[in-house]
Amino acid sequence: AFLASGRDEGRIRQQVDVGDATSDIASEQVAVSLPVGPGLVEGLSLSTPAVTPNGDGVADELQVDFALLQILQPRGVHVALFDLAGRTVRVLHDQPQIAGPIALSWDGTDGAGHLLPPGHYILRIEVQGDTQTEGVTRLIALAY
């Protein structure tokens, strides 16, 4: 068995060897605690409720952070922004992932790099799990 910490090139792996790690503890058991719940998306965090890409260094970009849970084999993860009419204005992520943290950003532009008009946009995260597809939606304001 191996324990791992981190992702990609920064990942650190350590082999687990049989035996007592210390004689101070009588047990030979190891317990690893992971957040387990019914959902596939956990800990969604948005850096700001309103993106203001005016170059002043305050809320110029939206940082989107979340963790995937219970995804052991690569599964589809789609993160996109939509206008209020339901049209896709920007895809932030559309590729298979396994469980772990995901960090994305949006600078207020569409897929062609043009600054979008001020208003409200819908951030949608969809994850295809083994037995279910889970979606999470948040409303984002764009102002400048």
Side-chain angles (χ1 to χ4, degrees), residues 79-99:
V79 181
L81 286 130
F82 301 85
D83 64 16
L84 295 181
R87 295 179 295 251
T88 303
V89 295
R90 177 80 181 267
V91 175
L92 299 180
H93 186 87
D94 190 22
Q95 61 186 5
Q97 294 285 147
I98 60 171

Side-chain angles (χ1 to χ4, degrees), residues 8-77:
D8 303 327
E9 292 101 30
R11 181 178 226 167
I12 300 170
R13 290 174 36 120
Q14 175 66 49
Q15 185 172 347
V16 177
D17 296 324
V18 178
D20 288 339
T22 177
S23 59
D24 295 336
I25 300 173
S27 168
E28 292 185 19
Q29 296 179 345
V30 174
V32 177
S33 176
L34 298 173
V36 177
L40 303 175
V41 177
E42 181 69 32
L44 175 59
S45 170
L46 305 176
S47 62
T48 181
V51 181
T52 58
N54 57 12
D56 67 355
V58 178
D60 286 334
E61 286 190 345
L62 172 70
Q63 301 299 317
V64 180
D65 297 294
F66 61 95
L68 293 180
L69 303 179
Q70 306 181 66
I71 308 288
L72 301 178
Q73 298 295 322
R75 299 286 186 234
V77 176

